[in-house]
Amino acid sequence: MEYWYLWLIFAALVIITAVVIVFAGKAVSARNEQTREIMAQLDRLKALKDKYTDLTVEKVENADPEELLEGVCTVLQVKIDK
């Protein structure tokens, strides 16, 4: 054990590496959750766009006002973006 301080430095680096890996894993999990939420929201908007692309009187009368407004806005946004 002539170089005991090197072993001490090595042990500290191993501990620091383990902590960094744990924090990186938590960050990846949080990012994946955010991605899932965004994808769910995009799927919902796509469904609304598909539902309200061909707007009829029956759809307007039977639809929930908030859903109708959001669906029509989604359709208009797609047309504006094109």
Side-chain angles (χ1 to χ4, degrees):
M1 296 303 291
E2 186 176 333
Y3 300 108
W4 60 270
Y5 53 90
L6 291 178
W7 287 105
L8 186 62
I9 292 172
F10 178 72
L13 289 176
V14 168
I15 291 170
I16 290 171
T17 303
V19 169
V20 167
I21 289 173
V22 168
F23 282 134
K26 289 180 182 179
V28 167
S29 296
R31 178 69 179 158
N32 287 341
E33 181 62 31
Q34 289 175 347
T35 302
R36 273 188 236 103
E37 290 173 3
I38 291 170
M39 292 303 292
Q41 183 179 10
L42 289 174
D43 289 341
R44 187 178 65 75
L45 289 175
K46 183 182 181 306
L48 285 174
K49 179 186 73 78
D50 293 342
K51 183 176 180 180
Y52 293 109
T53 297
D54 298 321
L55 199 58
T56 61
V57 174
E58 292 84 21
K59 285 183 182 180
V60 172
E61 290 174 349
N62 296 331
D64 178 46
E66 291 178 10
E67 181 182 283
L68 176 65
L69 180 63
E70 194 169 5
V72 170
C73 288
T74 303
V75 171
L76 290 174
Q77 185 66 41
V78 168
K79 288 183 180 182
I80 289 171
D81 288 343
K82 284 186 180 181

